[in-house]
């Protein structure tokens, strides 16, 4: 690439030059080159510097509070009804839940929609069960109208997954599943919305103004606080299990697990700090350019840096006390994750509300330009991800990269459940491109609104037009 060389040349000259004037000129050129390299990141970590400093302190200074006391304070804050549970991850919670349920071997677990991370399917299969997905009916509607065609005598459980930050209206499907005697679990890992006050329990109605952490009619629900999730605690999972006896069995099973090391949490804090530091478009673009210069796959590097578990066995652990302390701190600031801004002198600005504004603006503009946006108007959308459907995903990504947007079609672990059936859209995840959505984007969007010169639909048209040569290639090959 030419741009990294033009950046490193002035920087080297600035370092070795003894004269102040050439050094200043070289630094100006370096700054200009860095600005030319700017790349809007695909995601921003939802964590402030004060919280990162607190996390660092928690990982270095153990504190005197016991694990039981920490867990009790977290669960009571999460659910005043006393049905809350805290785990290392959603996958940990699912594994513990399936072991406590003791479903007959070979029983089927139905995923609606039939899109999830491979780790969820692996856990189901590791417990002797069969994961079955229901393909979305169309690109604009990810939920089927009824479950009856997909339920067999072996079906024992339904998992409703709220994808991309959208809270689907699954009331009808949940009711049908309960009538048929199925255990219903909601995977809210990507769709958490904070409550505006401590008294709100996040039931989701009306329109999630009281937050969302699971529907009233389900048997259990889990929310993730992983590194790139809303209101992240750099790990951890919170949820509820309605049945007291089942909840007790899950908690007793969890007590047999080893505790994840505090040092591992310390390394996650360092990674989170680095992601935060590189969050500015100029810094992100420089990192991508340097990776390209050194032959490093930038996409693979980003995916690996936020992946929480190196192997399946590592999920069977309990969170360390440092993680629990940060998790308690974060859920005490749920106003930062409210769907709408909370009014009041002491109210903090909601990052989710800001994200919703720019996400809705871009989604509407994309739709006007003829681009299909998954989950657009499919429910209450907080735009944790901005997924669009493209006939040529790699070509679209190349066009967006050329214009300074870190779009990707590979950096999510979401996949179609292997054993799936349904009315169509079996290849939907093969055609999805995730557009960047960060706090810096509103300024760019405002400028484009005035000039109409920089618009995602226009980029899509450009990069899908094979007669036009790409302006640049991504700094790493897209596989």
């Amino acid at each position: 690439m030419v741009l990294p060389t033009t950046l490193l040349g002035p920087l080297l000259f600035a370092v070795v030059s003894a004269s102040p004037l050439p050094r200043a000129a070289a630094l100006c050129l370096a700054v200009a080159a860095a600005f030319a390299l700017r790349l809007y990141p695909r995601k921003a970590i939802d964590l402030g510097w004060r919280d990162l400093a607190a996390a660092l302190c928690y990982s270095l200074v153990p504190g005197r509070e016991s694990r039981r006391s920490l867990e009790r304070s977290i669960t009571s804050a999460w659910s005043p009804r006393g049905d809350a549970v805290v785990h290392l991850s959603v996958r940990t919670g699912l594994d513990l839940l399936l072991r406590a349920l003791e479903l007959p071997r070979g029983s089927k677990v139905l995923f609606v929609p039939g899109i999830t991370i491979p780790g969820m399917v692996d856990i189901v299969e590791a417990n002797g069960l069969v994961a079955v997905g229901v393909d979305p009916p169309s690109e604009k509607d990810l939920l089927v109208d009824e479950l009856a065609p997909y339920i067999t005598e072996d079906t024992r459980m339904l998992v409703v997954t709220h994808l991309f930050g959208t809270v689907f209206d699954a009331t009808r499907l949940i009711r049908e599943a309960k009538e048929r005697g199925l255990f219903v679990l909601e995977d809210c890992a990507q769709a958490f919305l904070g409550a505006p006050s401590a008294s709100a329990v996040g039931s989701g109605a009306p329109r999630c103004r009281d937050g969302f952490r699971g529907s009233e009619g389900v048997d259990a629900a889990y929310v993730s606080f992983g590194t790139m999730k809303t209101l992240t605690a750099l790990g951890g999972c919170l949820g509820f299990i309605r049945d007291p006896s089942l909840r007790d069995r899950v908690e007793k099973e969890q007590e047999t697990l080893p505790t994840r090391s505090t040092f591992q949490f310390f390394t996650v804090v360092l990674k989170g700090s680095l992601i935060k530091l590189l969050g500015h478009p100029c810094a992100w673009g420089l990192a991508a350019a340097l990776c390209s210069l050194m032959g490093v796959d930038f996409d693979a590097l980003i995916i690996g840096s936020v992946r929480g578990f190196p192997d399946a066995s590592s999920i069977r652990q309990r969170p360390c006390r440092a993680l629990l302390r940060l998790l308690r701190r974060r859920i005490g600031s749920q106003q930062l994750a409210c769907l709408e801004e909370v009014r009041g002198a002491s109210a903090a600005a909601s990052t989710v509300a800001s994200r919703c504004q720019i996400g809705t603006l871009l989604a509407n503009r994309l739709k006007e330009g003829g681009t299909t946006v998954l989950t657009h108007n499919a429910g209450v959308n907080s735009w944790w991800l901005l997924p669009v459907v493209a006939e040529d995903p790699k070509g679209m990504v190349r066009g967006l990269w050329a214009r300074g947007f870190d779009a990707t079609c590979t950096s999510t672990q979401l996949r179609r459940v292997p054993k799936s059936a349904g009315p169509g859209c079996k290849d939907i995840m093969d055609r999805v491109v995730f557009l960047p959505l960060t706090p810096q984007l509103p300024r760019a969007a405002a400028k484009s609104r005035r000039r109409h010169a920089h618009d995602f639909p226009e980029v899509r048209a450009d990069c899908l037009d094979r007669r036009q040569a790409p302006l640049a290639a991504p700094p790493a090959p897209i596989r």
Side-chain angles (χ1 to χ4, degrees), residues 91 94-95 98 109-111 113-133 159 161 187 312 315 413-420:
R91 280 170 279 179
L94 176 62
D95 184 53
L98 292 178
V109 178
L110 200 62
F111 283 83
I115 300 170
T116 188
I117 62 172
M120 297 289 278
V121 176
D122 293 342
I123 289 167
V124 170
E125 294 176 347
N127 282 275
L129 308 176
V130 180
V132 179
V159 179
T161 308
D187 181 357
I315 67 164
Q413 299 182 60
L414 290 171
R415 297 288 184 272
R416 177 176 180 256
V417 177
K419 297 179 181 179
S420 293

Side-chain angles (χ1 to χ4, degrees), residues 30-39 282:
V31 170
F35 183 76
L37 282 171
R38 68 190 185 279
L39 183 70
C282 290

